[in-house]
């Protein structure tokens, strides 16, 4: 209890009480451009993230035109970079909304839990639902043209999007998900094309040019693990050799760690871990994953607006700086950094013989 109280006091001292809502979005944007993501967080970057968090933390900020415009500017930056720059020696990881991530390799662009914003319907567009914070139709079309593979961990609306999924499949792209995801859209002509891979134990399933290991697990709804939502974890190995892991909202770490340990025994690597590190139905295993694989942790599930009630500053939504501070101590070997909307980090395609990233 003492440790938790001290930790909360540290967060408040770090500025995460979100008191300042007067920032200019243009100045916030420039501050982050001047202090980009890196393995070691500078004081300037902490200040920039703190200011961005404080601005977003205005109650109901996602309903404001200023916040939506900032987000769309971030999306445009990502799309333009994907269209104009093609790294040949690195992997580039971009952050979009909440758990939505893009991975650009020399051979492909991979989407992880692509979702445009806090709309809750999986059968309507944000405009039909009346949600202001979203991508434009043009941005969705550009995104679908760029992405080669779309992986979805589970069927919750903060990890899945009707418009984006439809656009990808109608353009002939490969979308991977659970049986539950395909069932949601059973009446749609494109849903049958969703790939639902089997569980694997070290010998990955070949999907296009990727090798994919899959754990079919659940996001449990109760302590007894009697019911839950289907949730796949994916370990995706690129043609270039780098491996990316995403667990979605698997919230009990025990079975997940057993599976990851088995994969390690079979020679699998994990270079990057994306997404939430929270395990609210069991013990956390971030430190154990770091000890086993030493991946670079890129925490996600940040500023998920569905996790705060109307009128609240933060509620249960994780801020960018808060997310970075929470994972710092668990990433002793692999390191960690956080990406805000529209930001990216470049990572080399190789690791040194010790398993650590150069």
């Amino acid at each position: 209890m003492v440790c938790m109280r001290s930790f909360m006091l540290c967060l408040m001292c770090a500025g995460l009480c979100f008191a300042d809502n007067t920032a200019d979005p243009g100045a916030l944007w420039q501050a982050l451009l001047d202090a980009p993501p890196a393995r070691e967080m500078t004081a300037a970057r902490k200040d920039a993230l703190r200011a961005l968090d404080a601005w977003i933390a205005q109650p109901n900020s996602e309903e404001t035109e200023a916040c939506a415009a900032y987000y769309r500017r971030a999306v445009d930056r990502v799309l333009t970079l994907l269209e104009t720059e093609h790294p040949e020696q690195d992997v580039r990881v971009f952050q979009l909304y909440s758990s939505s991530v893009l991975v650009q390799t020399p051979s492909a662009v991979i989407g992880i839990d692509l979702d445009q914003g806090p709309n809750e319907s999986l059968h309507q567009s944000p405009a039909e639902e009346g949600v202001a914070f979203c991508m434009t139709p043009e941005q969705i079309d550009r995104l679908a043209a760029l992405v080669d593979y779309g992986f979805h961990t589970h069927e919750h609306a903060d990890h899945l999007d009707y418009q984006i999924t439809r656009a990808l499949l109608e353009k002939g792209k490969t979308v991977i998900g659970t049986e539950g995801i395909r069932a949601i859209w059973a009446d749609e002509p494109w849903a049958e094309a969703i790939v639902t891979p089997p569980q694997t134990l070290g010998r990955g399933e070949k999907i296009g040019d990727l090798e994919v290991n899959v754990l079919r697990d659940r996001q449990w709804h109760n302590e007894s693990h009697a019911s839950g939502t289907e949730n796949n974890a994916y370990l995706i190995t690129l043609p270039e050799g780098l491996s990316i892991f995403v667990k979605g909202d698997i919230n009990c770490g025990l079975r997940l760690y057993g599976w990851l340990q088995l994969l390690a025994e079979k020679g699998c690597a994990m270079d990057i871990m994306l997404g939430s590190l929270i395990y609210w139905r069991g013990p956390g295993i971030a430190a154990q994953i770091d000890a086993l694989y030493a991946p670079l942790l890129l925490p996600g599930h940040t500023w998920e607006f569905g996790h705060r009630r109307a009128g609240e500053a933060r509620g249960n939504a994780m801020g960018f700086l808060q997310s970075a501070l929470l994972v710092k101590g668990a990433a002793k070997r692999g390191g960690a950094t956080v990406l805000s909307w529209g930001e990216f980090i470049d990572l080399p395609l190789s690791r040194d013989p010790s398993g650590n990233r150069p």
Side-chain angles (χ1 to χ4, degrees), residues 41-352:
M41 187 178 293
T42 64
R45 180 157 178 81
K46 284 183 181 179
D47 289 342
L49 288 174
R50 184 181 295 116
L52 179 63
D53 281 333
W55 181 66
I56 296 172
Q58 298 174 73
N60 308 316
S61 61
E62 72 275 20
E63 297 177 10
T64 68
E65 181 53 39
C67 192
Y70 183 99
Y71 170 66
R72 289 184 184 133
R73 182 179 186 180
V75 173
D76 273 335
R77 182 193 188 208
V78 171
L79 296 175
T80 299
L81 287 170
L82 284 170
E83 290 164 345
T84 59
E85 296 187 10
H86 305 281
E88 296 182 0
Q89 303 299 323
D90 297 326
V91 167
R92 180 169 284 182
V93 182
F94 296 91
Q95 182 70 48
L96 294 174
Y97 173 69
S98 186
S99 300
S100 184
V101 176
L102 290 169
V103 180
Q104 182 185 25
T105 82
S107 59
V109 175
I110 300 166
I112 306 293
D113 281 346
L114 292 178
D115 173 38
Q116 59 179 309
N119 52 304
E120 297 181 357
S121 175
L122 291 175
H123 297 278
Q124 293 178 302
S125 69
E128 292 169 331
E129 193 178 337
V131 175
F133 188 100
C134 61
M135 297 181 189
T136 67
E138 179 194 21
Q139 287 175 330
I140 292 173
D141 188 65
R142 290 170 67 194
L143 178 65
L146 290 161
V147 171
D148 299 293
Y149 303 90
F151 285 84
H152 288 283
T153 57
H154 61 298
E155 63 198 62
H156 290 165
D158 54 339
H159 294 259
L160 187 64
D161 186 88
Y162 172 73
Q163 282 186 296
I164 293 175
T165 306
R166 181 182 66 185
L168 285 171
L169 289 168
E170 288 181 346
K171 288 184 184 294
K173 307 303 179 70
T174 302
V175 174
I176 301 96
T178 65
E179 298 284 355
I181 290 172
R182 190 158 64 178
I184 285 173
W185 292 316
D187 294 335
E188 299 284 358
W190 38 263
E192 191 61 31
I194 296 173
V195 178
T196 56
Q199 179 152 313
T200 58
L201 297 172
R203 184 173 181 176
E205 181 83 358
K206 198 71 175 174
I207 300 178
D209 292 328
L210 308 176
E211 182 178 308
V212 184
N213 271 282
V214 181
L215 172 66
R216 287 188 162 193
D217 206 337
R218 291 185 177 270
Q219 179 180 2
W220 298 106
H221 301 159
N222 48 46
E223 297 292 348
S224 64
H225 292 188
S227 67
T229 301
E230 286 181 283
N231 189 315
N232 287 349
Y234 302 107
L235 182 64
I236 305 162
T237 302
L238 309 174
E240 296 82 7
L242 205 73
S243 292
I244 300 160
F245 176 67
V246 58
K247 75 172 184 67
D249 282 347
I250 289 176
N251 55 359
C252 178
L254 297 178
R255 183 167 181 246
L256 176 62
Y257 183 71
W259 181 71
L260 290 175
Q261 192 167 48
L262 186 150
L263 295 191
E265 291 171 359
K266 292 182 177 292
C268 295
M270 181 197 299
D271 299 287
I272 305 167
M273 180 174 178
L274 303 172
S276 172
L277 302 181
I278 303 300
Y279 300 85
W280 49 273
R281 293 293 182 189
I285 58 169
Q288 288 79 4
I289 291 175
D290 179 67
L292 187 63
Y293 285 106
L296 175 67
L297 299 181
L298 298 177
H301 226 298
T302 46
W303 281 117
E304 173 47 56
F305 291 121
H307 288 183
R308 67 172 182 177
R309 294 187 180 93
E312 290 184 339
R314 185 171 66 86
N316 291 325
M318 186 78 69
F320 294 119
L321 184 55
Q322 182 186 13
S323 182
L325 294 175
L326 282 173
V327 302
K328 184 178 179 181
K332 298 184 183 302
R333 292 184 62 212
T337 191
V338 69
L339 307 177
S340 69
W341 303 329
E343 290 192 309
F344 68 90
I345 188 168
D346 288 329
L347 306 168
L349 282 168
S350 61
R351 293 163 69 114
D352 68 30

